[in-house]
Amino acid sequence: MRNGQLCWFKLFCAIEYWIAWQVINKLKRPSKKQDYGIFGEIGRDGRAAFIILLQSLDALGLLEINKQELQGSMDKLSTPEAKDAHFECISAYEKFATQRLISDSREVKAEYLSCLKHLSSLLDAEGTKQYRGTTLQELKDEIKHVEHDISSSRMRKQKLSQQRVPT
């Protein structure tokens, strides 16, 4: 990818992020009917917007790494924009993880896991032990926890589908 293509991709990710954030903010407003939490009655739309938000931040972080590689500056291993994007992804998840519609979604957890792994890899490559008050070990522990959650969720789903199959 050339610099011009990277700029277009970055713009696209930024627009995607902005649109997803607008949808989430709209869904956060309490409805006149009954309060069903942040994503109310339209949880699927909220989950989809949230997944897009996490994907956009993860992609922005990866884009910054690619940009540095193209510029030939990976020898200093400093990627503050990439770390910021991945950290924002993690922060967004943590902000909304209390909402059951989000925290139970394997798709959301998979995007969160991707951000965790990318930030952990960046910190590990730099030899950094802490970033914005979060230690590298805390990130690694969270990665294990989320991987376990996703695995457990898959196993539960498989068991349920096996129980439904007539013998």
Side-chain angles (χ1 to χ4, degrees), residues 2 6 28 32-34 39 60-61 89 91 99 103 110 124 146 149 157:
R2 298 206 185 278
L6 288 174
K28 279 174 35 177
K32 292 180 182 178
K33 293 181 181 181
Q34 187 178 354
F39 294 112
L60 284 169
C89 175
S91 296
Q99 300 298 320
S103 63
D124 218 7
V146 174
D149 283 354
K157 187 175 180 179

Side-chain angles (χ1 to χ4, degrees), residues 126-138:
E126 291 179 353
T128 305
K129 299 293 180 204
Q130 187 171 337
Y131 185 71
R132 290 193 184 179
T134 303
T135 67
L136 181 57
Q137 188 58 50
E138 288 171 333

Side-chain angles (χ1 to χ4, degrees), residues 9-27:
F9 187 68
K10 188 173 184 176
L11 177 63
F12 175 76
C13 288
I15 291 170
E16 196 175 53
Y17 166 83
W18 182 81
I19 291 170
W21 195 249
Q22 294 303 312
V23 170
I24 290 169
N25 280 330
K26 182 179 179 185
L27 295 174

Side-chain angles (χ1 to χ4, degrees), residues 29-167:
R29 294 187 196 119
S31 67
K32 292 180 182 178
K33 293 181 181 181
Q34 187 178 354
D35 185 19
Y36 291 95
I38 189 171
F39 294 112
E41 296 175 310
I42 44 180
R44 191 178 322 164
D45 293 341
R47 262 192 317 277
F50 195 66
I51 289 169
I52 291 169
L53 178 81
L54 296 179
Q55 287 172 339
S56 299
L57 288 166
D58 195 30
L60 284 169
L62 294 174
L63 183 65
E64 288 300 325
I65 293 168
N66 287 335
K67 184 174 131 185
Q68 268 200 318
E69 287 174 349
L70 280 175
Q71 294 171 345
S73 58
M74 282 306 285
D75 51 330
K76 63 181 175 181
L77 289 174
S78 179
T79 52
E81 295 88 359
K83 287 187 293 191
D84 287 345
H86 293 302
F87 191 83
E88 288 305 316
C89 175
I90 293 165
S91 296
Y93 177 85
E94 290 171 350
K95 180 177 180 180
F96 295 111
T98 58
Q99 300 298 320
R100 188 171 177 86
L101 288 171
I102 285 183
S103 63
D104 287 349
S105 168
R106 275 188 294 155
E107 295 85 5
V108 170
K109 284 184 180 181
E111 296 305 326
Y112 173 57
L113 181 61
S114 180
C115 291
L116 285 168
K117 286 181 173 181
H118 288 131
L119 181 58
S120 175
S121 293
L122 285 172
L123 295 180
D124 218 7
E126 291 179 353
T128 305
K129 299 293 180 204
Q130 187 171 337
Y131 185 71
R132 290 193 184 179
T134 303
T135 67
L136 181 57
Q137 188 58 50
E138 288 171 333
L139 287 174
K140 289 180 179 183
D141 291 344
E142 182 68 1
I143 288 169
K144 288 178 187 173
H145 174 76
V146 174
E147 286 174 336
H148 179 265
D149 283 354
I150 291 172
S151 175
S152 296
S153 175
R154 280 190 190 125
M155 289 171 40
R156 278 192 305 273
K157 187 175 180 179
Q158 286 174 349
K159 285 181 183 179
L160 284 173
S161 66
Q162 289 172 353
Q163 290 174 350
R164 292 181 187 156
V165 176
T167 54

